[in-house]
Amino acid sequence: MRVIIAKRTWNVVGLWAVVLAAGMPAVPLYGQEEPSTLPPGSATSRETHLRDFSPLPEEPEEFDDREVKAYYDWRNDLFFREFDLNGDGVVNYMTARRTYKVWLDEFGTPVVVTVGSPLFYWLDVNGNGEFETGKGEMWSDPDEDGLTGNERTYDTSHLEKEPSRIPRWSAPSP
Protein backbone atom coordinates (compact mmCIF):
# COMPACT_ATOMS: atom_id res chain seq x y z
CA MET A 1 0.00 0.00 0.00
CA ARG A 2 1.34 3.45 -0.93
CA VAL A 3 0.43 6.43 1.24
CA ILE A 4 1.07 10.01 0.19
CA ILE A 5 1.25 13.03 2.47
CA ALA A 6 0.19 16.26 0.83
CA LYS A 7 0.86 19.50 2.64
CA ARG A 8 -0.56 22.65 1.10
CA THR A 9 -0.08 26.27 2.03
CA TRP A 10 -1.27 29.46 0.35
CA ASN A 11 2.14 30.42 -0.99
CA VAL A 12 3.92 27.08 -1.24
CA VAL A 13 3.05 24.60 -3.98
CA GLY A 14 3.23 21.57 -1.69
CA LEU A 15 5.11 18.59 -0.41
CA TRP A 16 4.38 14.96 -1.14
CA ALA A 17 6.27 12.14 0.48
CA VAL A 18 5.77 8.43 0.84
CA VAL A 19 5.26 7.26 4.40
CA LEU A 20 6.36 3.73 5.09
CA ALA A 21 4.90 2.11 8.16
CA ALA A 22 6.74 -0.70 9.87
CA GLY A 23 6.55 -3.85 7.80
CA MET A 24 5.41 -2.11 4.60
CA PRO A 25 7.49 -2.79 1.48
CA ALA A 26 9.49 0.11 0.07
CA VAL A 27 7.79 1.69 -2.93
CA PRO A 28 9.00 4.49 -5.20
CA LEU A 29 7.75 8.04 -4.79
CA TYR A 30 4.66 8.95 -6.82
CA GLY A 31 5.55 9.44 -10.45
CA GLN A 32 8.81 7.51 -10.32
CA GLU A 33 9.28 4.45 -12.44
CA GLU A 34 8.08 1.26 -10.79
CA PRO A 35 9.38 -2.20 -11.63
CA SER A 36 7.81 -3.43 -14.83
CA THR A 37 5.25 -6.22 -14.64
CA LEU A 38 5.02 -6.56 -18.42
CA PRO A 39 5.80 -9.88 -20.08
CA PRO A 40 9.20 -10.20 -21.80
CA GLY A 41 9.30 -8.81 -25.31
CA SER A 42 6.51 -6.26 -24.76
CA ALA A 43 6.86 -2.52 -24.30
CA THR A 44 8.87 -1.75 -21.19
CA SER A 45 7.72 1.80 -20.60
CA ARG A 46 5.10 2.14 -17.87
CA GLU A 47 3.57 5.10 -19.76
CA THR A 48 3.18 3.05 -22.95
CA HIS A 49 1.67 0.23 -20.89
CA LEU A 50 -0.89 2.61 -19.37
CA ARG A 51 -1.87 4.10 -22.72
CA ASP A 52 -2.62 0.61 -24.03
CA PHE A 53 -5.27 -0.02 -21.38
CA SER A 54 -6.73 3.29 -20.20
CA PRO A 55 -8.46 6.17 -22.02
CA LEU A 56 -7.14 8.54 -19.33
CA PRO A 57 -3.81 10.34 -19.33
CA GLU A 58 -1.37 9.64 -16.53
CA GLU A 59 -1.65 12.11 -13.66
CA PRO A 60 1.18 14.69 -13.78
CA GLU A 61 3.76 14.57 -11.01
CA GLU A 62 3.83 16.93 -8.07
CA PHE A 63 5.34 20.35 -8.88
CA ASP A 64 4.28 19.97 -12.53
CA ASP A 65 3.50 23.35 -14.12
CA ARG A 66 0.22 21.98 -15.48
CA GLU A 67 -1.26 21.67 -11.97
CA VAL A 68 -3.63 24.61 -11.55
CA LYS A 69 -5.05 23.91 -8.12
CA ALA A 70 -4.99 21.30 -5.35
CA TYR A 71 -7.32 21.30 -2.36
CA TYR A 72 -8.89 19.19 0.35
CA ASP A 73 -12.71 19.04 0.42
CA TRP A 74 -13.72 18.21 3.98
CA ARG A 75 -17.37 17.53 3.03
CA ASN A 76 -16.40 14.67 0.73
CA ASP A 77 -13.17 13.82 2.56
CA LEU A 78 -11.34 13.87 -0.78
CA PHE A 79 -8.13 15.54 -1.97
CA PHE A 80 -8.57 17.09 -5.45
CA ARG A 81 -5.95 18.08 -8.04
CA GLU A 82 -6.90 20.11 -11.14
CA PHE A 83 -4.76 20.30 -14.29
CA ASP A 84 -4.52 22.25 -17.53
CA LEU A 85 -3.02 19.63 -19.85
CA ASN A 86 -3.32 21.73 -23.02
CA GLY A 87 -1.77 24.93 -21.66
CA ASP A 88 -4.75 27.07 -22.66
CA GLY A 89 -5.69 28.21 -19.15
CA VAL A 90 -8.72 25.91 -18.81
CA VAL A 91 -8.87 23.02 -16.34
CA ASN A 92 -9.43 19.89 -18.41
CA TYR A 93 -8.27 17.06 -16.13
CA MET A 94 -8.92 16.43 -12.44
CA THR A 95 -8.29 13.65 -9.93
CA ALA A 96 -9.63 12.95 -6.43
CA ARG A 97 -8.11 10.73 -3.73
CA ARG A 98 -9.58 9.42 -0.52
CA THR A 99 -7.91 10.68 2.63
CA TYR A 100 -6.74 8.76 5.69
CA LYS A 101 -6.08 11.62 8.05
CA VAL A 102 -6.20 15.43 8.04
CA TRP A 103 -4.87 17.79 10.69
CA LEU A 104 -3.58 21.35 11.03
CA ASP A 105 0.09 21.91 11.73
CA GLU A 106 1.36 24.51 14.21
CA PHE A 107 0.90 27.26 11.59
CA GLY A 108 -2.71 26.30 10.78
CA THR A 109 -1.77 24.69 7.46
CA PRO A 110 -3.81 21.60 6.55
CA VAL A 111 -1.78 18.40 6.27
CA VAL A 112 -3.55 15.65 4.31
CA VAL A 113 -2.57 11.97 4.19
CA THR A 114 -4.09 10.40 1.08
CA VAL A 115 -4.30 7.10 -0.77
CA GLY A 116 -1.53 6.74 -3.37
CA SER A 117 -3.80 6.54 -6.43
CA PRO A 118 -6.96 8.46 -7.28
CA LEU A 119 -10.46 7.11 -6.73
CA PHE A 120 -11.99 9.45 -9.34
CA TYR A 121 -10.75 10.94 -12.61
CA TRP A 122 -12.35 13.64 -14.75
CA LEU A 123 -11.32 14.44 -18.33
CA ASP A 124 -12.98 17.18 -20.43
CA VAL A 125 -13.25 15.08 -23.59
CA ASN A 126 -15.30 17.53 -25.68
CA GLY A 127 -13.23 20.57 -24.61
CA ASN A 128 -16.13 22.77 -23.45
CA GLY A 129 -14.55 23.56 -20.07
CA GLU A 130 -16.98 21.43 -18.03
CA PHE A 131 -16.83 17.92 -16.63
CA GLU A 132 -20.09 16.29 -17.76
CA THR A 133 -20.68 12.90 -16.19
CA GLY A 134 -23.46 12.03 -18.64
CA LYS A 135 -21.02 12.33 -21.54
CA GLY A 136 -18.43 9.89 -20.18
CA GLU A 137 -16.09 12.49 -18.71
CA MET A 138 -15.88 10.97 -15.22
CA TRP A 139 -14.29 7.65 -14.26
CA SER A 140 -13.96 5.73 -11.03
CA ASP A 141 -11.19 3.36 -10.05
CA PRO A 142 -12.68 1.31 -7.19
CA ASP A 143 -9.42 -0.62 -6.71
CA GLU A 144 -7.43 2.63 -6.45
CA ASP A 145 -4.53 0.92 -8.19
CA GLY A 146 -3.66 3.63 -10.71
CA LEU A 147 -4.28 3.55 -14.44
CA THR A 148 -4.42 -0.15 -15.22
CA GLY A 149 -7.41 -0.34 -17.55
CA ASN A 150 -9.96 -1.32 -14.90
CA GLU A 151 -11.30 2.24 -14.62
CA ARG A 152 -14.95 2.59 -15.55
CA THR A 153 -17.12 5.51 -16.48
CA TYR A 154 -19.06 6.96 -13.58
CA ASP A 155 -22.38 8.44 -14.65
CA THR A 156 -24.27 10.63 -12.17
CA SER A 157 -26.35 12.45 -14.79
CA HIS A 158 -29.56 10.85 -13.46
CA LEU A 159 -28.97 12.76 -10.21
CA GLU A 160 -28.63 16.07 -12.06
CA LYS A 161 -32.06 15.91 -13.73
CA GLU A 162 -35.33 16.92 -12.15
CA PRO A 163 -37.53 14.05 -10.99
CA SER A 164 -39.96 12.83 -13.62
CA ARG A 165 -42.96 13.15 -11.31
CA ILE A 166 -43.11 16.00 -8.83
CA PRO A 167 -45.85 15.45 -6.25
CA ARG A 168 -48.10 18.41 -5.58
CA TRP A 169 -48.90 19.27 -2.03
CA SER A 170 -52.22 20.72 -1.02
CA ALA A 171 -53.37 21.75 2.42
CA PRO A 172 -55.86 19.36 4.05
CA SER A 173 -59.43 20.60 4.20
CA PRO A 174 -61.04 21.04 7.63
Side-chain angles (χ1 to χ4, degrees), residues 42-64:
S42 64
T44 58
S45 167
R46 182 172 184 259
E47 188 174 314
T48 303
H49 175 67
L50 296 176
R51 269 193 241 121
D52 291 344
F53 296 106
S54 179
L56 299 167
E58 188 169 359
E59 182 181 34
E61 295 181 25
E62 185 67 15
F63 304 114
D64 192 297

Side-chain angles (χ1 to χ4, degrees), residues 19-152:
V19 178
L20 299 176
M24 289 180 60
V27 293
L29 291 173
Y30 179 79
Q32 291 182 347
E33 195 67 28
E34 295 180 2
S36 178
T37 57
L38 300 173
S42 64
T44 58
S45 167
R46 182 172 184 259
E47 188 174 314
T48 303
H49 175 67
L50 296 176
R51 269 193 241 121
D52 291 344
F53 296 106
S54 179
L56 299 167
E58 188 169 359
E59 182 181 34
E61 295 181 25
E62 185 67 15
F63 304 114
D64 192 297
D65 291 338
R66 297 173 291 177
E67 183 176 312
V68 175
K69 184 175 168 185
Y71 56 94
Y72 168 68
D73 184 341
W74 60 270
R75 293 167 294 194
N76 297 316
D77 201 24
L78 294 172
F79 182 72
F80 290 87
R81 294 180 72 201
E82 297 179 356
F83 302 95
D84 172 12
L85 298 180
N86 299 333
D88 57 4
V90 177
V91 173
N92 56 7
Y93 185 55
M94 184 167 64
T95 61
R97 286 176 168 78
R98 286 184 311 116
T99 60
Y100 284 125
K101 187 175 181 181
V102 179
W103 69 92
L104 298 177
D105 66 9
E106 63 271 11
F107 304 107
T109 305
V111 179
V112 181
V113 179
T114 71
V115 175
S117 296
L119 173 62
F120 293 110
Y121 299 86
W122 291 264
L123 180 64
D124 185 12
V125 177
N126 58 15
N128 66 354
E130 297 179 21
F131 297 117
E132 301 162 302
T133 60
K135 295 185 178 178
E137 296 185 343
M138 182 178 180
W139 285 267
S140 80
D141 183 8
D143 296 334
E144 296 174 272
D145 57 355
L147 297 176
T148 59
N150 65 346
E151 301 79 31
R152 57 182 179 224

